Amino acid sequence: MASQSLDLSGLPRKAPLKPGKKLRFADVAVTATANEFDGVYRNKKYHTADFVNTLDRAMNAGVEKVMLTGMSLSDVSVNLAIAQSRPAQCFITIGVHPYHAAEMDEGGPAYLQKLADSLRTALALTPCPVAAFGELGLDYDRLNHAPKDVQIRAFKAQLDLFVENGWDLPLFLHCRAAFDDFVEVVTPYLGRLPRRGLVHSFVGSTAQMQKLVELGFDISINGFSFKDRESVDMVAAVPLERLQIETDAPWGEIKNGSEVAKQYLTNAPPLPPSKKRDKWDAACMVKERNESCTIERVAYVVAGLKGTTVDEVAEAAWRNSVNMFGLDLA
């Protein structure tokens, strides 16, 4: 998340102006199965499940498309039910996040078979809710979930499964503090990934971003991408034609007191009212929990860092997301 001590010297100083028209957004990363959307925080239940309320606020904020990211097999049925209840707004990804790599490793071939069966079943639905295969990749920031060797095996196993089945989908990828191994693992598969994919929630250097773009991937930006100077320089350098944006809700909140907020959000519209979790109200956001309705703030910060307009950032990101993931333009 953006640090309050972040040095923005040498970057554009001007806060982006308000857009000239109503914008539309695709939030390409939301974890609907997170405990926070079930009203659970630090293992304590504070309120009823309210993800549907966040989708209403998202639509009111111009977020016409929301991608529900699959973390493991257990997410499929939950995300699918949401997508089927909101077929024009919600789409899903199916795959296994590196945090759940040990689950796949222990499950062996039977787990992979269930993953493949779940994807085939969802792909056969009309309308088809599946936007991508994933979330898959590597995360060395949180090795308590799964060690490196287990993550790499799970990553390769899913890539093997994907190319063996010839699924016509882009990949939804995760790369955190594991850049060299990520590139080493994915590169041999590139010739069999015709629709490439998106490296989401990217935090890293400009050189790393440029390498991913060179490999054919888009880069998705959220509040985590503004956490340090190296990463904000990277955001400023992402080509608009390869840019997508997201909230990574319920995480990735851009704090009001952060340097990027103080510099670039002065003209951003106010968010819906919020209340603390123990004062929950269906009509309000929950303080310190991120939602899709905040995505315009991401667009403002990206526009500020790039020295361009919010309109240009939002339109480019919308176009890139719709084109990559086949989201209906209606």
Side-chain angles (χ1 to χ4, degrees):
M1 237 164 281
S3 166
Q4 294 197 25
S5 60
L6 179 63
D7 175 19
L8 297 176
S9 59
L11 289 164
R13 300 292 304 172
K14 191 175 180 183
L17 299 176
K18 290 181 180 179
K21 60 183 179 182
K22 183 171 172 58
L23 302 175
R24 54 186 177 177
F25 297 98
D27 188 354
V28 295
V30 174
T31 305
T33 54
N35 286 337
E36 290 86 343
F37 290 130
D38 197 34
V40 177
Y41 306 80
R42 295 181 182 177
N43 299 315
K44 182 180 177 181
K45 181 86 168 178
Y46 283 87
H47 59 79
T48 58
D50 66 343
F51 188 69
V52 65
N53 303 114
T54 75
L55 290 175
D56 291 339
R57 283 190 286 273
M59 189 63 78
N60 289 338
V63 188
E64 298 180 15
K65 310 295 174 184
V66 176
M67 277 173 48
L68 312 177
T69 55
M71 302 285 280
S72 70
L73 267 177
S74 62
D75 284 1
V76 176
S77 59
V78 178
N79 286 340
L80 193 54
I82 296 169
Q84 289 181 308
S85 71
R86 299 261 184 151
Q89 185 182 20
C90 293
F91 300 82
I92 69 172
T93 77
I94 294 178
V96 181
H97 188 285
Y99 287 0
H100 295 269
E103 185 181 306
M104 170 177 278
D105 209 48
E106 291 161 10
Y111 192 102
L112 278 171
Q113 186 60 53
K114 287 180 182 176
L115 181 64
D117 291 345
S118 294
L119 183 52
R120 289 191 196 101
T121 300
L123 285 170
L125 295 171
T126 303
C128 179
V130 184
F133 182 67
E135 181 171 354
L136 72 162
L138 302 173
D139 190 318
Y140 292 173
D141 258 356
R142 301 284 179 87
L143 293 174
N144 57 305
H145 292 288
K148 292 181 181 180
D149 62 321
V150 172
Q151 290 192 31
I152 289 172
R153 280 201 299 274
F155 192 14
K156 288 181 176 178
Q158 289 183 88
L159 288 169
D160 287 338
L161 185 72
F162 183 80
V163 298
E164 284 165 8
N165 282 276
W167 286 314
D168 183 25
L169 292 167
L171 298 181
F172 189 83
L173 295 155
H174 183 103
C175 176
R176 183 67 54 84
F179 183 79
D180 292 342
D181 283 356
F182 179 90
V183 171
E184 183 178 342
V185 170
V186 80
T187 297
Y189 294 90
L190 292 176
R192 292 171 289 174
L193 304 176
R195 293 180 62 182
R196 289 297 197 270
L198 176 72
V199 181
H200 105 100
S201 189
F202 190 65
V203 176
S205 69
T206 299
Q208 289 174 341
M209 175 275 294
Q210 290 170 337
K211 177 62 176 178
L212 294 172
V213 167
E214 178 188 313
L215 294 177
F217 298 114
D218 278 15
I219 307 294
S220 189
I221 301 302
N222 60 31
F224 290 116
S225 309
F226 312 136
K227 78 183 188 93
D228 57 34
R229 181 56 193 252
E230 179 182 63
S231 201
V232 295
D233 284 340
M234 176 274 296
V235 172
V238 176
L240 278 176
E241 65 272 17
R242 306 306 284 276
L243 169 75
Q244 298 190 41
I245 60 176
E246 59 177 75
T247 61
D248 205 26
W251 312 291
E253 179 187 24
I254 302 174
K255 299 285 189 182
N256 282 330
S258 67
E259 291 302 317
V260 292
K262 289 188 285 187
Q263 185 147 314
Y264 299 126
L265 294 182
T266 55
N267 295 320
L271 294 174
S274 63
K275 291 186 177 181
K276 292 181 179 178
R277 62 193 69 158
D278 58 350
K279 304 289 186 184
W280 178 82
D281 182 330
C284 298
M285 294 176 65
V286 176
K287 286 186 183 296
E288 299 183 350
R289 185 186 73 176
N290 203 14
E291 290 188 17
S292 290
C293 67
T294 70
I295 197 169
E296 190 168 356
R297 292 161 67 86
V298 179
Y300 264 85
V301 176
V302 173
L305 290 168
K306 296 179 80 63
T308 186
T309 65
V310 181
D311 302 68
E312 188 173 19
V313 167
E315 287 169 8
W318 168 267
R319 182 172 59 250
N320 296 337
S321 297
V322 166
N323 288 345
M324 173 172 285
F325 296 113
L327 310 180
D328 185 2
L329 281 165

